[in-house]
Amino acid sequence: MSVDWGEVYRTSFEELFRFLHRKVWDPERARDLAQEVFVRALRHEPENPRAWLFRVASNLARDEARMVIRRKKHLALLRTEAEDQGGERGPEERVLEEEEWEQLRSALNTLNERDRELLLLWDAGLSYREMAEVTELSPGAVGTTLARARRRLVDAHSGSEKENAARN
Amino acid sequence: MRHVTDGELHAFVDGSLDLLPDGRGSEVRDHIASCSVCQERLQDEEAVRAQAQDLLKGPAVPEVDLPSFEELRERAKAQGRPEPEAGPEEGEAPRYRGPLRGVPLAWAATIVLALGVGWMGGQIGSTVSRGNPILPATQRYEDADVSSLQRANLGTEPEGTVGNSAFPPGVATPPPPGEQEPVPEGAGQGGRVEGPPGRVDALAASPEGAGADPLPEAEAEAGVAKPSDSPASTDPMLSSARVNSSILLQELNAPSPDSQARLYSTASRRSQTGASEAESQIPDSLENSLAVPGLKVVSIEWEERVPGEKALLVRQLLSPGDTLELRYLGMLLSGDAEVSPLRETRGSLEEASGGLTYANILEASLPAEWHQVVMEWGRGLLVARAPMTEQNLKALLKTLH
């Protein structure tokens, strides 16, 4: 059956973009990667288009993240981004947002790659079967692994909040 | 009373009871409705789920203009990507139409082995550098040391040579005897070797899994090459390597389509007289044609970092902890002697952007102190990566068949 990529785009592109943003933490790069994923998609006919999209996205983001780390520009990009986001929001609001992003990123970074991947796929709305296809876990293992990842994320975030409170 | 398992509880929380065996989903639902213990577990699980969901939603993603679908389609057209073709579905093995049809394939992945005019040959197309490597004195891969490095690695046992073979025994046999000639005696001394026109011998390829982890450290477990037990001068692998180097250098100096066919024919014939005593899982003809002679082959496997762009990854041991990675892109061919549809649609190398994009992705993940060399390889690309200088890597690649 031919894939209606237009429909897939309408139902999945934003989630794909969010997923990639939480991988590379750079909205413009995330958009570029999401575009690249879809441009490639247009010449394929996978059985499960959404799982295919996220699998490709995951691969591209993994390589992208390594490149960014090596070039040591990630933090600079975040700072530049914060400065560029102009007058609609006040400085306090921007600082607060940055802190929230940083907390989420730190909490995600405490997880292993598989847990992090599952959480982001779950956040993007993929089903157990789709997550299984992307991560190569069995569908039965997805639930337990995901539940554990959620708990670890919550614990990591609670832990960092307590640390911040103690410092302040 | 038997409570629901954690897995069943999680499936319930995430609305995935359809994954449970027939009837079990409704049993789980009924049990939770009537069991206070499981209800408490459910509430706890749901609370964690909700917290995680809130965290992940987080602050809004910074606004950027997202392209419309029509813009994406235009971009795809501009890049020359064809519309989806009729062919094997994702994950299915391509249909095999070659002379080995009917040969039972015990493994999901097999190799495409092509003999054809225009497949061999190479020209340094582009290179990527990554700074100046700091190599210990024992790992200085100077031009003169390339051959000594190869000699140091010769003589390893065929058994266990490949750590992750994708080749079942008995598959991908060399061309039929009728098309082979014994290697002339003068080959090792630099004479040109004449051979019959190439014939395409191909097997279906369907790698399982995609996105192989590119971390080179994973190959360190390949171990140390064993020293040769026989004198190097009589070692057939070394003799083979010398023949390879001699012929290749001549052909590189004066490349032509005929010479490329001869190169490949020579390589396949050499497999008949090669040193493989044991029933190696890797066909000799394949190793001889795709691997740098004299270096232990750690693994040969398919890699698919982006679905639709398959690369044949050959890993060879340079020294303990250091590997050479050779990725062949754009090699898939049908089993027939005629030019395959893939070749026809690929057109010129410039239009084969898939391979170049793959090379770019590889470049993006190049570890520190590694260098990458990209070569035109027949109608495809060879992307070579190793922890050595670009110059030394090129010197090493010259010894390829």
Side-chain angles (χ1 to χ4, degrees):
Chain A
M1 189 193 309
S2 179
V3 176
D4 182 355
W5 284 112
E7 183 59 27
V8 175
Y9 169 87
R10 278 184 284 279
T11 56
S12 305
F13 192 79
E14 281 201 34
E15 286 80 8
L16 187 71
F17 167 66
R18 260 170 66 87
F19 172 81
L20 284 165
H21 181 259
R22 277 154 175 70
K23 290 273 201 171
V24 301
W25 300 103
D26 176 352
E28 289 184 359
R29 194 60 193 135
R31 177 197 58 201
D32 293 343
L33 288 174
Q35 282 185 28
E36 181 60 29
V37 170
F38 253 92
V39 165
R40 289 175 185 282
L42 292 176
R43 62 171 177 160
H44 290 94
E45 295 279 341
E47 272 189 37
N48 193 331
R50 266 164 61 90
W52 188 95
L53 284 176
F54 281 89
R55 190 173 196 180
V56 172
S58 182
N59 287 342
L60 290 181
R62 179 170 53 204
D63 292 339
E64 174 75 14
R66 286 177 180 152
M67 179 181 69
V68 169
I69 287 168
R70 190 165 65 244
R71 293 181 183 171
K72 294 179 184 173
K73 72 174 186 180
H74 183 58
L75 291 176
L77 277 175
L78 282 178
R79 282 194 287 272
T80 305
E81 177 189 314
E83 288 159 8
D84 286 348
Q85 285 170 356
E88 290 182 7
R89 291 170 297 119
E92 279 187 17
E93 199 175 330
R94 282 205 298 277
V95 166
L96 203 61
E97 263 190 20
E98 267 186 53
E99 276 183 12
E100 286 182 36
W101 277 122
E102 195 52 42
Q103 279 176 8
L104 173 60
R105 201 156 60 93
S106 298
L108 283 170
N109 285 344
T110 64
L111 308 178
N112 64 42
E113 189 172 338
R114 173 155 285 170
D115 284 357
R116 195 163 51 240
E117 184 87 343
L118 267 180
L119 278 175
L120 296 181
L121 292 171
W122 170 64
D123 179 56
L126 269 66
S127 67
Y128 273 22
R129 282 192 204 280
E130 288 168 336
M131 285 191 268
E133 195 172 320
V134 176
T135 60
E136 297 180 356
L137 283 171
S138 67
V142 166
T144 304
T145 310
L146 178 61
R148 184 183 62 216
R150 288 193 289 237
R151 193 170 291 275
R152 286 176 178 165
L153 177 73
V154 168
D155 291 344
H157 187 263
S158 307
S160 71
E161 275 196 327
K162 283 177 190 163
E163 276 179 25
N164 289 341
R167 259 190 258 125
N168 297 335
Chain B
M1 184 196 321
R2 179 176 163 266
H3 298 297
V4 300
T5 63
D6 283 345
E8 290 167 342
L9 187 68
H10 301 145
F12 179 84
V13 164
D14 289 320
S16 295
L17 286 176
D18 59 309
L19 287 177
L20 299 181
D22 289 339
R24 186 58 190 156
S26 50
E27 288 173 8
V28 167
R29 207 174 281 115
D30 293 341
H31 174 87
I32 290 175
S34 61
C35 174
S36 57
V37 170
C38 290
Q39 282 175 11
E40 200 171 321
R41 291 166 64 204
L42 176 65
Q43 284 168 11
D44 178 50
E45 226 25 78
E46 284 178 334
V48 171
R49 186 180 190 275
Q51 280 180 278
Q53 203 160 38
D54 286 341
L55 280 173
L56 286 168
K57 289 302 174 219
V61 179
E63 283 186 21
V64 289
D65 290 329
L66 297 181
S68 67
F69 182 67
E70 287 67 33
E71 286 171 346
L72 292 176
R73 216 203 306 253
E74 287 305 312
R75 183 177 158 186
K77 277 185 193 167
Q79 289 184 4
R81 296 179 190 271
E83 292 298 316
E85 299 168 346
E89 286 299 314
E90 190 84 7
E92 279 185 23
R95 288 183 290 278
Y96 172 60
R97 291 171 287 173
L100 294 182
R101 185 181 352 158
V103 172
L105 302 178
W107 295 50
T110 58
I111 194 68
V112 173
L113 185 65
L115 297 175
V117 174
W119 192 84
M120 293 298 297
Q123 195 175 353
I124 307 294
S126 66
T127 61
V128 175
S129 294
R130 278 289 176 266
N132 297 317
I134 302 171
L135 300 172
T138 56
Q139 292 181 355
R140 284 182 297 111
Y141 302 125
E142 300 293 341
D143 283 356
D145 289 346
V146 165
S147 55
S148 57
L149 175 69
Q150 291 170 316
R151 278 197 291 277
N153 279 276
L154 289 174
T156 56
E157 296 299 326
E159 186 179 348
T161 293
V162 175
N164 187 17
S165 170
F167 303 96
V171 179
T173 57
E179 294 190 11
Q180 295 168 354
E181 293 176 15
V183 178
E185 279 193 9
Q189 280 72 47
R192 283 179 176 266
V193 178
E194 298 291 336
R199 183 178 72 83
V200 175
D201 249 346
L203 301 171
S206 175
E208 287 187 340
D213 193 312
L215 290 176
E217 301 86 81
E219 287 101 41
E221 55 196 273
V224 182
K226 293 180 188 175
S228 174
D229 291 328
S230 57
S233 59
T234 61
D235 191 306
M237 285 288 284
L238 176 58
S239 302
S240 176
R242 283 178 177 154
V243 169
N244 294 344
S245 299
S246 172
I247 293 173
L248 179 69
L249 283 172
Q250 288 179 39
E251 301 297 355
L252 285 178
N253 288 334
S256 69
D258 285 346
S259 69
Q260 290 172 355
R262 283 195 296 272
L263 266 176
Y264 206 85
S265 299
T266 305
S268 68
R269 282 197 301 279
R270 195 160 37 244
S271 72
Q272 301 303 304
T273 58
S276 177
E277 296 173 3
E279 288 295 323
S280 170
Q281 289 191 347
I282 301 299
D284 287 344
S285 55
L286 175 66
E287 275 200 45
N288 287 347
S289 57
L290 297 180
V292 169
L295 298 182
K296 178 180 177 182
V297 174
V298 173
S299 65
I300 301 180
E301 60 192 358
W302 284 106
E303 181 189 72
E304 192 177 7
R305 288 182 175 234
V306 176
E309 300 294 346
K310 296 182 178 67
L312 182 66
L313 172 57
V314 179
R315 287 196 180 96
Q316 293 185 268
L317 190 67
L318 291 168
S319 63
D322 283 337
T323 52
L324 166 69
E325 294 178 358
L326 303 172
R327 285 178 173 82
Y328 294 87
L329 305 169
M331 281 175 53
L332 290 177
L333 294 174
S334 72
D336 298 330
E338 288 85 20
V339 174
S340 75
L342 182 66
R343 271 188 171 179
E344 285 167 347
T345 56
R346 280 258 169 164
S348 69
L349 187 62
E350 289 76 19
E351 295 170 14
S353 57
L356 291 173
T357 303
Y358 203 112
N360 290 337
I361 288 174
L362 288 170
E363 182 264 334
S365 62
L366 199 64
E369 317 305 337
W370 281 54
H371 285 77
Q372 177 169 300
V373 167
V374 182
M375 296 170 58
E376 292 180 14
W377 195 259
R379 295 240 177 196
L381 289 179
L382 165 60
V383 180
R385 313 196 317 168
M388 58 173 65
T389 65
E390 185 182 306
Q391 181 185 4
N392 294 336
L393 182 52
K394 287 180 189 176
L396 198 62
L397 294 177
K398 283 184 182 173
T399 66
L400 272 170
H401 305 241

